[in-house]
Amino acid sequence: MQGITTVANAIGGTPLVSLLGVDGVGGRNSAEILGKLEFMNPGGSIKDRVARHIVRQLTAKGIPSDALLVVAGPGNLAISLAMLGRSLLCLIPERTSADRINLLKAMGVTDIVRTLDGALPGSPEHPAEIAKRIIRQHPAGAYIDEESGEWDLQACYEELAGEIFEQTGGKLDALVLGVDTGNAATHLSQVLKSKLPAVQIVGVEPSNSAINGDATRNPLAHRWLCEDIGRAYPPRALSPNAVDMWIQVSDQIAYSMARRLIRAGVFAGPSAGAAVAAAQMYARTSLQPDTRIAVILSDSARNYTTTLLSDEWMLGHDLMDTPMLDDLQRKQHEQYRAASIEDLQLPAAITVSETDSMQAAISLMSEHDFSQVPVTGPNRRLIGYLTLAAAQTLIDNGTAMPAQPVGKFMLRFDSRSTDGSGIRKYWLITPETPLSELSKFFEIHSVAFVTDPSRKFCLGIATKQDLITFLARRNTHQF
């Protein structure tokens, strides 16, 4: 068993796994596609490696650990540097999702400037120009620019290339990776080709990216959603001969493949989806039998909770391909076949009054094996509920007395929030509510109180288990 170590020392040594179990990978071609799980670094991305080497060089230059670092990029390098305890001011493009912004804030980074997507070098809006203006105001700080050549990243990628070479036993026909700054492609190409002269380096960029295309167009025309790969211009750090083949991947293909990776237990982000899709395309064109392809899976799907992991966002941006869209629609609609809560055949609700004692409520729930009970007010109107666990805890710790009324301790369905600052949304659940809508309700809540449309009376209580039982009766077993 490995002993205790530091976060910095835990960086690297990521697994290399087969991806042939991923839906849509492999198929009729005989290629072996392997994924290098860089998202399993402590900070969730390949940039942990870069950050560790930059921190070492900062120390060697005598730059204090509390000096301000101005960092430009989609956010992964900033997260890695913050993880290693550095003070940051971040220049993050508008394309970057709010998830990484929120993570940086949670890590204590409060100075975040959003920059224009596709700003060209030399323009006032380019991150490098913005950084120069900031550094003039903070001369003790440093600008972290991976493309400037100021930071020696050769050793960083030698380490990664060495891992790939060792894990493949020196048998590798192609390396596929997304390209952004160009550093990874340049250094990995150099190191791997020195050991395996015939290895092919396949660079991946989004459709509309101009790394290997026309960089003379209006930069605003270079639009894509996939983060961490692609540029509106060729990056300075990219060696002209580093990449043997370029493949452009659409946003829809990238995001759909990322979802398939997740379903197979590989929790990688959209750029990894693009790289795996490109590896599949490369395998189809390869004339060499039993081709072995390694793919860099750069960052974690957990960086994309509001985008990649959101069905609503994926649908709104048309990022689900036809098979995935058909599957989702089947699960959302055909699964319940237009059934409503009425089809659950729920027993009539048993309620307690807000004036009943806590002991009476506990006795009622214990007698009927209920986890919760609806609470009614004047005219038997539903006003809230009480859970058995909460009631017992309140009595056990002395907060509530058995004879005190339920109304003092129940969870109340108020029309306004407790501080009166605004309206709290009430999700009306009636016998006519479709089960597809109830299923979405259970993504957030554990129990649903079924009422009449006017919310006067509680008619029943539904839980996720009722949905599971309903589907079992229909013999679908899909829940």
Side-chain angles (χ1 to χ4, degrees):
M1 180 179 292
Q2 186 177 3
I4 297 172
T5 187
T6 63
V7 170
N9 288 335
I11 294 170
T14 56
L16 184 73
V17 303
S18 172
L19 298 179
L20 295 184
V22 178
D23 183 28
V25 176
R28 286 174 290 181
N29 66 67
S30 59
E32 180 184 15
I33 300 179
L34 308 171
K36 180 66 169 165
L37 308 187
E38 285 300 288
F39 63 85
M40 292 187 69
N41 281 301
S45 81
I46 192 175
K47 295 299 183 181
D48 283 4
R49 297 178 184 266
V50 177
R52 180 171 61 178
H53 281 266
I54 288 176
V55 166
R56 288 173 179 171
Q57 292 171 58
L58 287 167
T59 302
K61 291 181 178 183
I63 297 176
S65 60
D66 60 349
L68 180 68
L69 304 183
V70 181
V71 184
N76 280 336
L77 179 58
I79 290 169
S80 300
L81 287 167
M83 178 188 72
L84 296 177
R86 294 291 165 152
S87 300
L88 307 180
L89 187 153
C90 301
L91 306 176
I92 309 262
E94 294 172 339
R95 183 185 302 115
T96 297
S97 65
D99 300 289
R100 276 186 276 194
I101 301 295
N102 292 335
L103 178 55
L104 283 167
K105 289 179 178 179
M107 298 175 81
V109 179
T110 56
D111 295 325
I112 299 173
V113 178
R114 301 307 287 262
T115 60
L116 183 67
D117 291 339
L120 293 178
S123 67
E125 298 85 8
H126 190 269
E129 300 303 316
I130 297 173
K132 289 176 185 176
R133 297 195 293 269
I134 294 172
I135 289 297
R136 282 197 292 267
Q137 299 171 353
H138 300 274
Y143 174 42
I144 308 299
D145 182 0
E146 291 182 75
E147 295 183 58
S148 67
E150 181 181 356
W151 309 101
D152 183 6
L153 302 179
Q154 178 72 22
C156 164
Y157 291 109
E158 281 181 354
E159 179 184 86
L160 176 55
E163 291 177 18
I164 295 171
F165 183 83
E166 181 179 347
Q167 289 169 325
T168 58
K171 184 184 183 303
L172 183 66
D173 299 298
L175 177 71
V176 181
L177 73 164
V179 179
D180 177 23
T181 66
N183 277 304
T186 296
H187 294 300
L188 289 174
S189 177
Q190 179 182 353
V191 177
L192 286 175
K193 285 180 179 290
S194 69
K195 299 179 178 182
L196 301 167
V199 73
Q200 295 285 291
I201 306 299
V202 181
V204 183
E205 62 176 336
S207 300
N208 295 326
S209 169
I211 293 179
N212 188 48
D214 181 11
T216 62
R217 292 189 300 160
N218 181 347
L220 296 179
H222 298 289
R223 292 285 185 175
W224 60 89
L225 292 171
C226 192
E227 300 177 34
D228 297 317
I229 58 173
R231 286 292 176 95
Y233 55 88
R236 291 173 293 163
L238 178 64
S239 172
N241 301 318
V243 175
D244 300 297
M245 176 186 291
W246 287 93
I247 296 177
Q248 287 199 339
V249 177
S250 71
D251 284 329
Q252 186 180 83
I253 290 174
Y255 277 81
S256 293
M257 180 58 77
R259 278 292 194 93
R260 291 188 172 89
L261 287 170
I262 293 168
R263 288 190 177 186
V266 181
F267 303 127
S271 64
V276 173
Q280 183 75 348
M281 297 174 196
Y282 174 82
R284 293 193 191 104
T285 63
S286 175
L287 301 178
Q288 182 178 344
D290 302 321
T291 300
R292 173 177 273 187
I293 304 168
V295 188
I296 302 292
L297 307 186
S298 296
D299 80 339
S300 171
R302 292 183 175 93
N303 285 339
Y304 307 95
T305 57
T306 60
T307 55
L308 171 65
L309 304 185
S310 166
D311 287 344
E312 290 74 16
W313 188 89
M314 291 274 288
L315 288 168
H317 290 82
D318 193 26
L319 293 175
M320 291 189 181
D321 59 19
T322 300
M324 187 165 292
L325 185 60
D326 290 345
D327 182 60
L328 179 66
Q329 290 175 337
R330 177 186 60 80
K331 287 185 175 181
Q332 286 185 338
H333 301 290
E334 295 180 12
Q335 184 179 27
Y336 299 108
R337 303 176 197 171
S340 67
I341 287 180
E342 194 170 20
D343 296 301
L344 294 180
Q345 301 176 11
L346 299 171
I350 297 176
T351 64
V352 297
S353 168
E354 64 177 332
T355 59
D356 288 341
S357 70
M358 291 286 284
Q359 185 59 57
I362 290 173
S363 298
L364 179 69
M365 287 186 278
S366 300
E367 178 185 350
H368 293 277
D369 196 24
F370 290 165
S371 299
Q372 58 278 310
V373 64
V375 180
T376 59
N379 301 318
R380 297 189 61 195
R381 181 182 179 86
L382 178 66
I383 59 172
Y385 70 100
L386 182 71
T387 68
L388 179 61
Q392 290 175 330
T393 300
L394 288 170
I395 288 179
D396 289 344
N397 64 22
T399 303
M401 300 300 292
Q404 287 184 288
V406 166
K408 187 174 181 180
F409 303 101
M410 69 180 186
L411 295 169
R412 185 176 294 273
F413 296 136
D414 289 332
S415 61
R416 293 183 176 271
S417 57
T418 54
D419 61 359
S421 60
I423 300 296
R424 175 189 295 168
K425 180 181 177 182
Y426 180 87
W427 198 324
L428 182 66
I429 303 292
T430 72
E432 291 74 34
T433 297
L435 292 187
S436 57
E437 184 177 330
L438 182 65
S439 180
K440 286 189 175 183
F441 177 87
F442 285 139
E443 291 176 5
I444 306 171
H445 306 284
S446 60
V447 60
F449 296 97
V450 185
T451 69
D452 63 296
S454 63
R455 254 188 72 198
K456 287 185 177 179
F457 307 109
C458 182
L459 306 177
I461 302 174
T463 66
K464 181 72 174 186
Q465 184 60 47
D466 293 310
L467 278 182
I468 294 172
T469 301
F470 173 81
L471 291 173
R473 287 204 307 264
R474 286 192 166 183
N475 200 31
T476 63
H477 300 289
Q478 297 171 1
F479 45 80

